[in-house]
Amino acid sequence: MIGMTKTLEAENHLGSRILRWVLAVALITGLAVSTVQVALDAKRVSSELKQQAEQTLAMVYDAATQAVFSIDETLGQQVVDGLFALEPINLARISHLDGSELSSRKRSPSKLGFRPITDLIFGKVWVYRETLKRSDNPTEPYGYLEIHLDTAHDAETWLMRGLTTFASGIAIALILGLALFILFHWLLASPLLRIVHSLKKVDPDYPDQYLLSVPKGHETNELGVWVNATNNLLVAIAEGQQKHREAEDRVNELARIDTLTGLPSRDAFLEDLQKIIETSKARGISFSLTVCGIDDFKSVNEQCGFRTGDLILKSVASRLSANFPTDRFALARLGSDQFVIVEKRLRDNFHAAETAEKILSIVGTPIDAGSHRIAMTSTLGISIFPNDAAEADRLLQSAEQTMALAKQNSHTRFQFYIASIDQEIRDRKQMEKDLAQAIENKEFHLVYQPQINLETKRVIGAEALLRWKHPEHGFVSPDKFIPIAETSGHIVKIGKWVLEQACKQAALWAATGSHLRIAVNLSAVQLRQNSIVEDILSCIAQYQVPPGRLELEITETSFMTNITDAVAKLHQLHRAGISIAVDDFGTGYSSLTYLKKMPVQHLKIDKQFIQDLLANEEDTRIANTIIDLGRSLNLTVIAEGVETEEQEHYLTQRGCKVAQGYLFSRPLLPDDFEKFVKTFHAKIVENNA
């Protein structure tokens, strides 16, 4: 920046100097030419004054001679008065030889402000004296004729003309100087400046990236030749630099790359790992480091030869490179049969486990090595940044040690550095497998929690809730297995089963005269399925359930992930007559704009705001806000988790229409639900009686 500023200052200074010199030369030239013109004009004016005086004397010479010869004062005075008709004359005198005057007249010289200047050039008064002689006797004088010529009048004309000459000369000189400067700037300075700006864009490391542009109109002159020569020089420099860089890169590559597999070496990987750590720290993200060791690779070398072993290592490296792109992963060969894979952006530990299984599958695919087809297995050790270590060497060492421990246990394919995390991953993987078989093993069932109209005190519907009774672990909490079902994708199959069971139950209740609305939860994963609308409509058609008896509950996050697609699908379901409710409202971050776009009929206040209702100001304020919002949008507000009569009374007074919770009933099996409805309504009749 400093160099550029100095360069620009130099450019501006050069332009100013050129302009000053051009104007100075033009001004001096104009002054010199004007001075010469004025001097010549002064000489001409002097000559004219002299000629005028001589002509005046010649004009009155005979009359003045006659007057002095005849001593005629009247004639002499006429001659003098005639001379005074000329403005420059300020003294006229006819005198005898003895000096006595015959006639004379005098007036004071003009008093003009410029006289001190003109008097220096022309003098104040020019004096002419002529001897008077008769033509018939030219040798005998009779007297003298004397005139004084005031130079002021002719000098004034000369001065005005001189000033005009100076002014016009200077103006012409300045105009010519500016014209010359503009021409010089257009033809030379401006093209040079554009070339300088082009030079500033040249990158010293890549000089051929921005070549100089030849100024328009200068393609064939000296500037064009100079620019082309400079461009050729820049290209030559760039080619030399490129060759030098290629040589350096080749040397560095040989030092950093494993020559057999083409992957980074151990030393190069540690450098890259340090950069990944710094980036992850700055972004506040975690990553996994997995060390992969091929099992019993020594036996392969002994039985099939080292060439076959090298082919296996190259094949494994090629597969890893093909399946793990460099934008998300970093790969290297640590030596012998060990590879390392870094996943740079890690969602959670389960994500690392999924990647580990992918590595095991890649390595486990049989490899054709010459005449041998070999199926390899591998063992993995996994460490997590920053939980396990924050330094590159310690993080790698942790993974290597974990892999060595995992190899001691022949049943362990991969293992995490922290034992508790490793067990958590294994439990989750086992739960995913169990979920996949739960429907076939008939481990799921539905329970129904009544929904009560707070105005009529009647049961108007039920929320269908999924329960899982594991054959070994007993009842598993939905808060535990539902998130795993969503991330693994099993929720699609499970959700379809729940919908079918709910529709089937609604049809059975309708057959007994109990026309209740059943609410079914719809997860974000289900909502993203392209066939979800057709699946739901075909299900209610199969069990002949009127669309108005089915209500779909979605969470705020379900429709915020892809608002356009979610809105379109929910509108299709709404047009078919199915009710839509927003579950757990107030726990997400949806805006009123999103809510306005959704075809929603019901808002469900999450139970966390109901539990401390009247005891916690903030929860009470949130519940009131949701109720008021529902009223303003003409939506029915449903309160979850109502457990006390005080909560029921407050919600009723605030205008909440529907409630569910342990105050009324726990979630019940179908038969128990039917009994509850009859008993609940019977109590209402007794109370009213």
Side-chain angles (χ1 to χ4, degrees), residues 75 374 430 482 492 634 645 678 681:
L75 179 58
I374 303 173
Q430 185 60 48
I482 291 294
V492 175
N634 198 25
E645 292 181 357
K678 292 178 182 179
H681 287 169

Side-chain angles (χ1 to χ4, degrees), residues 445-449 462-467 478 498 519-521 553 604 640 660 666-668:
H445 68 273
L446 296 184
V447 293
Y448 300 88
Q449 186 170 38
E463 181 180 3
L465 301 170
L466 180 64
R467 295 293 182 263
V498 170
V520 178
N521 287 283
E553 294 186 0
K604 297 193 74 174
E640 293 183 307
Q660 65 185 80
R666 294 174 178 273
L668 302 169

Side-chain angles (χ1 to χ4, degrees), residues 492 496 499-500 503 526 529-542 573:
V492 175
K496 188 175 182 181
L499 181 65
E500 290 176 352
C503 289
Q526 289 177 272
Q529 303 302 309
N530 294 330
S531 62
I532 186 63
V533 176
E534 291 76 9
D535 292 343
I536 294 173
L537 296 180
S538 63
C539 186
I540 62 176
Q542 177 183 352
L573 295 170

Side-chain angles (χ1 to χ4, degrees), residues 128-142:
Y128 290 90
R129 187 178 185 187
E130 188 75 19
T131 303
L132 298 175
K133 299 178 181 179
R134 289 174 60 87
S135 57
D136 55 353
N137 188 13
T139 59
E140 184 178 355
Y142 295 100

Side-chain angles (χ1 to χ4, degrees), residues 645-658:
E645 292 181 357
E646 289 80 5
Q647 293 171 352
E648 177 198 5
H649 179 73
Y650 182 81
L651 291 169
T652 303
Q653 295 300 315
R654 284 291 300 157
C656 182
K657 300 297 183 184
V658 182

